[in-house]
Amino acid sequence: MADIQITLRLTIADPVPGVRYSLQKDDAPHEPVTAGDGPLSFDVPIQLKPDNRFGGPFVRREGKERRFVYIRIGAMAGDHAVDWQRRAKIDIHDIPGSLLDQARQGWVLEIILPGRGKDGTPSCATVRPTTGWHAAT
């Protein structure tokens, strides 16, 4: 069985309007967008190996098992007119195998993320989802 490309959708429920966000591809911003008043979603192509390991230019690793995707924020997303230089770390290594089976069949796997910290600024560091991973169309 060969690697297959799946799609993970990272949806920020309440991003800070006017702030630039992007995925991190390799070590650079990828297709930055500026948040408006509504949710902001990124569709991330991921290589899924037959043994459920993740690969591709969007996947980062930490240790033997932890895999994650970064969302860059503010200056890290290429907006040098702001003081924020942040990244949000989104864990993907804990996606259940049953959902990965659905992704192999063409389903998009989505997670909803909070966009703001308690102080109202963009969420950063390891961001815990507001809802767990689920299959979406």
Side-chain angles (χ1 to χ4, degrees):
M1 186 190 277
D3 292 2
I4 186 170
Q5 182 173 300
I6 65 169
T7 301
L8 304 181
R9 180 171 295 143
L10 311 177
T11 297
I12 304 169
D14 60 341
V16 178
V19 173
R20 188 176 295 171
Y21 295 80
S22 75
L23 292 173
Q24 179 171 310
K25 183 176 182 182
D26 296 319
D27 287 324
H30 177 74
E31 298 180 356
V33 295
T34 301
D37 291 327
L40 181 62
S41 293
F42 294 97
D43 282 358
V44 188
I46 302 287
Q47 294 299 314
L48 181 60
K49 300 187 180 305
D51 62 358
N52 288 347
R53 288 182 299 126
F54 300 100
F58 295 98
V59 176
R60 318 294 337 132
R61 57 185 288 164
E62 189 174 283
K64 290 178 87 175
E65 296 193 20
R66 188 175 191 189
R67 300 294 179 269
F68 56 91
V69 174
Y70 275 130
I71 296 175
R72 290 173 159 244
I73 303 162
M76 292 203 75
D79 184 357
H80 301 292
V82 299
D83 292 332
W84 291 316
Q85 183 168 321
R86 298 181 176 179
R87 289 189 301 191
K89 183 186 283 189
I90 315 305
D91 285 321
I92 62 173
H93 63 274
D94 53 0
I95 298 174
S98 60
L99 284 178
L100 295 176
D101 291 341
Q102 287 182 289
R104 283 187 175 90
Q105 297 172 15
W107 288 85
V108 172
L109 302 184
E110 182 179 36
I111 196 165
I112 309 296
L113 305 162
R116 303 173 196 213
K118 291 179 184 176
D119 62 356
T121 64
S123 294
C124 61
T126 299
V127 176
R128 302 290 176 214
T130 58
T131 64
W133 290 99
H134 62 276
T137 54

